[in-house]
Amino acid sequence: MKDKYTVAVVGATGAVGNEMVSILEERNFPVDDLRLFASERSEGNYIEFKGKNRRVNKVTKDSFHGIDIALFSAGAARSIEFAPEAVKSGAVVVDNSSAFRMEPDIPLIVPEVNRHAIKKNNGIIANPNCSTIQMVVALKPIHDAVGIKRIVVSTYQAVSGTGKKAIHELAQQTRDLLSLKEITVSIYPHQIAFNCIPHIDAFLENDYTKEEMKMVHETKKIMEDDSIRVSATTVRVPVFHCHSESVNIETSKKITAHEVRALLSRAPGVKVIDDPKNFSYPLSINSAGRDEVFVGRIREDESIDNGINMWIVSDNLRKGAALNAIQIAEILVKENLI
Ligand code: 25A
Ligand code: L14
């Protein structure tokens, strides 16, 4: 075991990569040397870490000599190309992309839910999809207590999940529309300003989107229970940061809204904000920059015997991506797995 590690961030100039660099600093991760990589577009840019500017280099197959931990967030194609090379060079990879999540021998980890599953790995650990992470953090304690049979979820997802260009597109379209100018639509298939688009990631044969099916498959893998039925509708909304989710669950045993509130108040990584009389419930604008998964609007579903409704909000770039990845790296360090 070392005191400090050489850490690489691949995709360092992206929305998630930027957040990774600042969270490494914020949490005082034991970094000996930090190496930053992206495409040739970003080569020669600088990103500040602990008061010093670090140069961004183009990632190549030879980038990983001497790297202990490589945090990847440059899209699935780059992970497929470079993550095995990083492992060959002796690094452990925490991968944010969708490339390896459903591979049977690659662990898919949310520390609050299945931290034990991290041990059996062959050098790559996958970080789940953002919408799935915040949902399972809130649902695991309920599943352990009373068993969840079925989940029906609709998401309200921020544009930052798509990256910096999408953040810019929402801002630009908003400015242009308010100035009565023509808008440009390039990242999303439709105007996103003042609109909701029921379409995230590509459509599949079954007419669901990939994002929806990630929520189905990844939930079962992380919760280690294939019997949970999941039905998802994922929607892009004109919000910069934080995904919100309306979640309905059917449980095996009865649980009251009061019991759910008490259970989640003690749950790791969760903060309950649920005081409707004072108009208090989780909001995306209040959750940005925070680490917790916020849960509110907890109600019994009056249309079935054992049902609960709730509203779950979390910062998609933090718990949904960069923070969860660094929490995984912290476990690797703590449990001597590097
Ligand atoms: O394939 P997936 O898994 O579905 O992932 C798709 C995208 O989702 C984001 C991430 O976008 C990714 O590209 N993402 C991944 N995991 C996520 C998660 N868990 C997630 N989002 C949420 N939760 P991103 O913008 O956050 O990060 C992109 C990073 O990847 C680098 N990159 C791209 N191609 C690369 C590459 N690195 C190495 N080799 C390659 N071939 C990318 O660096 C960025 O760091 P960059 O240098 O390409 O971009 C630097 C800046 O330039 C902007 N930009 C990008 N493309 C263009 C561009 N500008 C002009 N023209 C372009 N064609 C970027 O916005 C960035 O700011
Ligand atoms: O992690 O919001 O699979 O556009 C792919 C699409 C993350 C977010 C993933 C988006 C994502 C994303």
Side-chain angles (χ1 to χ4, degrees):
M1 196 181 134
K2 301 184 182 176
D3 288 346
K4 287 185 164 191
Y5 300 84
T6 301
V7 178
V9 177
V10 181
T13 51
V16 174
N18 276 176
E19 206 66 33
M20 284 172 163
V21 174
S22 49
I23 294 175
L24 285 169
E25 175 165 346
E26 230 176 84
R27 293 173 75 89
N28 216 2
F29 191 86
V31 176
D32 182 16
D33 187 18
L34 182 67
R35 313 233 180 115
L36 304 177
F37 299 102
S39 75
E40 67 274 358
R41 282 188 294 271
S42 295
E43 174 128 57
N45 283 2
Y46 285 85
I47 295 176
E48 195 183 309
F49 176 71
K50 295 199 170 171
K52 258 177 60 189
N53 277 333
R54 317 251 163 170
R55 189 179 197 274
V56 179
N57 290 309
K58 176 179 170 342
V59 67
T60 71
K61 295 198 168 166
D62 303 319
S63 296
F64 300 97
H65 299 295
I67 306 270
D68 300 306
I69 304 167
L71 306 172
F72 272 69
S73 189
R78 270 68 61 183
S79 292
I80 289 164
E81 189 177 357
F82 296 111
E85 298 296 324
V87 173
K88 263 190 232 154
S89 303
V92 178
V93 170
V94 182
D95 181 41
N96 238 309
S97 82
S98 53
F100 307 113
R101 290 178 186 152
M102 294 312 298
E103 299 276 322
D105 48 1
I106 292 186
L108 182 65
I109 302 293
V110 179
E112 292 85 345
V113 178
N114 64 338
R115 122 184 228 135
H116 69 92
I118 202 170
K119 286 210 176 84
K120 236 179 99 232
N121 72 75
N122 38 30
I124 300 177
I125 291 131
N127 195 71
N129 165 262
C130 36
S131 305
T132 309
I133 292 178
Q134 67 183 65
M135 185 171 82
V136 296
V137 167
L139 294 189
K140 180 64 159 69
I142 302 173
H143 189 49
D144 288 345
V146 290
I148 294 175
K149 294 203 309 206
R150 180 167 183 251
I151 302 168
V152 180
V153 52
S154 297
T155 68
Y156 303 68
Q157 297 187 216
V159 296
S160 55
T162 317
K164 285 183 174 173
K165 283 186 286 182
I167 296 174
H168 180 257
E169 182 151 308
L170 172 58
Q172 191 61 45
Q173 287 181 357
T174 306
R175 272 193 295 268
D176 288 346
L177 284 161
L178 293 177
S179 324
L180 308 176
K181 286 192 199 147
E182 287 286 311
I183 61 157
T184 306
V185 172
S186 72
I187 300 294
Y188 297 118
H190 305 280
Q191 169 187 325
I192 182 60
F194 308 104
N195 200 10
C196 298
I197 308 174
H199 171 187
I200 296 181
D201 210 337
F203 277 101
L204 298 166
E205 265 307 295
N206 63 0
D207 289 345
Y208 282 84
T209 63
K210 269 195 192 170
E211 186 78 350
E212 288 160 350
M213 295 315 291
K214 284 178 230 166
M215 294 192 80
V216 175
H217 301 307
E218 293 181 24
T219 297
K220 294 175 192 226
K221 179 165 174 177
I222 301 161
M223 304 262 258
E224 298 174 344
D225 187 345
D226 272 337
S227 73
I228 304 176
R229 284 170 288 164
V230 183
S231 189
T233 303
T234 57
V235 182
R236 184 83 58 195
V237 296
V239 163
F240 288 108
H241 294 284
C242 301
H243 293 347
S244 302
E245 300 177 342
S246 162
V247 177
N248 174 269
I249 57 171
E250 183 176 359
T251 57
S252 297
K253 281 187 264 164
K254 172 81 188 162
I255 186 164
T256 66
H258 181 74
E259 287 165 337
V260 171
R261 253 175 241 123
L263 192 60
L264 293 184
S265 300
R266 302 189 298 269
V270 177
K271 183 158 174 53
V272 174
I273 302 182
D274 197 12
D275 183 8
K277 304 224 167 17
N278 290 307
F279 305 161
S280 178
Y281 28 71
L283 292 174
S284 38
I285 54 169
N286 297 337
S287 309
R290 300 280 300 265
D291 288 349
E292 303 93 324
V293 171
F294 297 94
V295 185
R297 301 295 326 277
I298 299 165
R299 290 150 290 155
E300 279 151 52
D301 177 350
E302 295 178 350
S303 71
I304 51 173
D305 287 338
N306 300 334
I308 292 286
N309 282 308
M310 62 185 96
W311 179 248
I312 303 173
V313 182
S314 193
D315 188 327
N316 56 300
L317 294 182
R318 291 179 72 90
K319 187 58 188 168
L323 172 65
N324 197 72
I326 288 163
Q327 288 171 325
I328 290 171
E330 288 171 347
I331 298 174
L332 294 170
V333 166
K334 219 187 224 147
E335 302 196 0
N336 246 329
L337 298 169
I338 310 183

